Amino acid sequence: MDGWVGAWTGGRAAVHVGDVADFNAQFLAPGMDEAQRLRRLRQAHHYACLAVCYSPEPALLVLPAEVAPEWTDWLARELAWGPVEVHSGVAPDRTVAEALAIRPALAARIADSGRPVVSWGRNAAHGEGPELAAVRRYESKAAAHELFAALAPGHPGIVVPDQERPAGRRRAARRLTARAVRGRTTVLKSPYGVGGYGTVVVEPAELFAAGGGRALLRHLVRTEVLPPEGELLLEEYVDPGPAARLRDLTYDALVGQDGTVHPVGAGAMDVAGTRYQGVTVGPGVLPKEAADTARRFALAVGERLAAEGYRGWYDVDFVTDRERRLAPTEINLRLTGPAVAFVLAARLDRVRGPGHLVRTLDGMPLGARLAPAALHDHLERLRPRCARLGVTLLPLIPTACHDPEPVVGLALAGPDAEALDAAEALVEAANQGLTGMFEALR
């Protein structure tokens, strides 16, 4: 099988291991207390449900949180999978590596499957070596920035924002205040923030209202926007202008085992503030010029990663400026939220014919806390309504439906952006309607 699918799994059904928490744990900032650690673990375990789509077809699925069989049955019907062996609920309060250490039979089942094994990203459980060294280096937004600056001169249409690395948090607070005095908006980053955690846009008015740089940093730590300790980066805010139709985009690719870089595709991300919410991928989603610029630059990044020994999936994220240039912001050396959308599009194109657009919605709010069976029934009622719009509804993250702030992760697949917009609005209205329905039952 040609293309990235062949390079990823050889076109074979694979073992998928939902070890998001294992990957994230190696980058947790010092000073985090046990309650914060458990919250991060729980959030990572919800996101690990995306392991169901780490490749176009799973044969064996390992998930830290418990899921009902109806969930994978739904996806198997829509995506024409063969039988999927599911091991869920294996690590509710620990990492997957810790869970497998006390489940030798399951660990052996994975090792002896004879199938490709796909995990979220490289971590110490996979062994030390050049690949893990590259992950640890370039997951840092400081090291990624240095690479971007080195590559940018050869790439028209790319602009790299200025970045400062103050020595210590007191110095960072002083520099943040000095920038605000000059009227400059600043993107404040923890080097190893994930999914928007550890990154915040600081407007001058916000800093002054908080009482200055040190007071603002204390507030951001207290509200768990920033980690309690560690280096902070100050980056130039890239202004998209008032009429920007495209703000956040990504380009995904992978480095094969032989070091060859394989393009996957570009996507338009939905980012609320600095928090990633989902992505839309497929034909015509991005203007051709922007997609081509992102592709050339991301593949150049991949060549450098490959030269340092990295193997696996990665992406480069960008924001746009007023002149429609692309400013690279970070490298993710792992599977990504957008990777799931690309995998789904590839599978649907194969089993139903080409041309699918896929939109992932990683955390759609629910209007009420639901038991898993009630969530399934709610989505089942929405499925035929989406189908009438030409859209396939795919549940991806079903485990957060009973959290204090309940959400569900979904994918929508259809022929064009208008159909996806209509289906998204339908699902959003139905989710909000749960509030009134449950209040009426009280």
Side-chain angles (χ1 to χ4, degrees):
M1 179 175 289
D2 295 330
W4 68 263
V5 175
W8 190 229
T9 59
R12 302 164 58 202
V15 176
H16 297 183
V17 181
D19 57 353
V20 173
D22 301 61
F23 184 87
N24 290 354
Q26 62 193 328
F27 301 117
L28 289 179
M32 189 173 288
D33 62 31
E34 183 63 12
Q36 290 172 320
R37 190 192 70 82
L38 288 174
R39 279 195 294 275
R40 297 292 168 202
L41 182 72
R42 186 170 59 251
Q43 291 164 358
H45 284 351
H46 288 322
Y47 211 64
C49 289
L50 295 180
V52 74
C53 293
Y54 283 1
S55 84
E57 184 175 8
L60 189 152
L61 177 62
V62 180
L63 294 175
E66 188 75 36
V67 299
E70 292 81 6
W71 174 59
T72 46
D73 289 347
W74 181 327
L75 294 173
R77 286 193 305 271
E78 297 288 1
L79 299 169
W81 291 339
V84 182
E85 180 183 336
V86 180
H87 299 267
S88 72
V90 304
D93 56 358
R94 63 190 71 196
T95 67
V96 170
E98 291 168 341
L100 291 177
I102 58 174
R103 290 174 175 252
L106 178 55
R109 180 79 183 92
I110 295 168
D112 298 339
S113 68
R115 297 184 177 277
V117 178
V118 183
S119 60
W120 182 247
R122 191 84 180 183
N123 61 67
H126 302 123
E128 298 289 336
E131 184 174 345
L132 185 56
V135 169
R136 288 171 174 163
R137 179 178 181 184
Y138 288 110
E139 275 285 326
S140 164
K141 294 172 177 60
H145 183 270
E146 292 174 356
L147 178 55
F148 297 155
L151 293 175
H155 290 269
I158 294 291
V159 57
V160 179
D162 294 334
Q163 187 184 92
E164 294 185 51
R165 300 183 64 178
R169 291 206 168 188
R170 289 194 175 189
R171 176 65 176 169
R174 289 196 295 271
R175 292 295 304 141
L176 193 60
T177 300
R179 293 166 70 95
V181 168
R182 296 198 300 273
R184 297 174 64 181
T185 298
T186 299
V187 184
L188 187 60
K189 294 182 173 183
S190 170
Y192 292 103
V194 175
Y197 170 71
T199 301
V200 61
V201 177
V202 179
E203 301 276 358
E206 178 186 9
L207 181 140
F208 296 135
R214 294 181 67 180
L216 179 63
L217 292 186
R218 287 194 296 269
H219 169 74
L220 293 173
V221 169
R222 187 168 57 251
T223 55
E224 297 188 28
V225 175
L226 292 178
E229 298 177 20
E231 182 183 14
L232 294 176
L233 310 174
L234 277 61
E235 193 166 284
E236 173 189 4
Y237 174 72
V238 178
D239 184 359
R245 292 190 302 165
L246 176 66
R247 172 57 169 166
D248 297 276
L249 61 153
T250 187
Y251 197 92
D252 281 50
L254 65 91
V255 181
Q257 288 305 307
D258 64 354
T260 301
V261 181
H262 298 267
V264 176
M269 295 191 294
D270 177 14
V271 178
T274 59
R275 298 295 178 98
Y276 172 81
Q277 306 293 309
V279 71
T280 303
V281 306
V285 165
L286 295 179
K288 185 177 185 304
E289 183 178 359
D292 288 347
T293 299
R295 173 189 169 108
R296 288 190 295 268
F297 190 76
L299 296 185
V301 168
E303 295 289 349
R304 290 288 291 270
L305 298 179
E308 296 201 26
Y310 182 70
R311 301 293 184 266
W313 201 286
Y314 73 95
D315 79 0
V316 181
D317 293 341
F318 304 85
V319 295
T320 57
D321 72 0
R322 285 176 173 264
E323 299 172 36
R324 299 186 179 179
R325 296 177 298 178
L326 305 187
T329 59
E330 65 180 8
I331 311 170
N332 295 301
L333 286 83
R334 52 171 171 79
L335 277 166
T336 66
V340 169
F342 289 114
V343 164
L344 286 169
R347 183 64 180 178
L348 288 165
D349 284 355
R350 180 180 178 188
V351 300
R352 297 187 184 180
H356 286 84
L357 270 67
V358 173
R359 177 174 298 169
T360 54
L361 306 157
D362 286 359
M364 287 200 80
L366 293 166
R369 298 172 70 188
L370 299 178
L375 174 66
H376 180 274
D377 291 346
H378 170 64
L379 296 177
E380 181 60 37
R381 289 190 292 271
L382 293 175
R383 182 185 57 78
R385 298 175 64 188
C386 288
R388 286 194 287 273
L389 298 169
V391 173
T392 300
L393 174 65
L394 300 167
L396 298 181
I397 303 176
T399 57
C401 58
H402 206 255
D403 277 8
E405 296 182 5
V407 298
V408 61
L410 304 171
L412 303 170
D416 51 54
E418 290 74 18
L420 298 184
D421 290 344
E424 181 179 353
L426 184 158
V427 173
E428 185 175 16
N431 288 354
Q432 291 174 348
L434 291 170
T435 303
M437 180 179 73
F438 278 83
E439 286 179 351
L441 293 174
R442 288 179 180 175

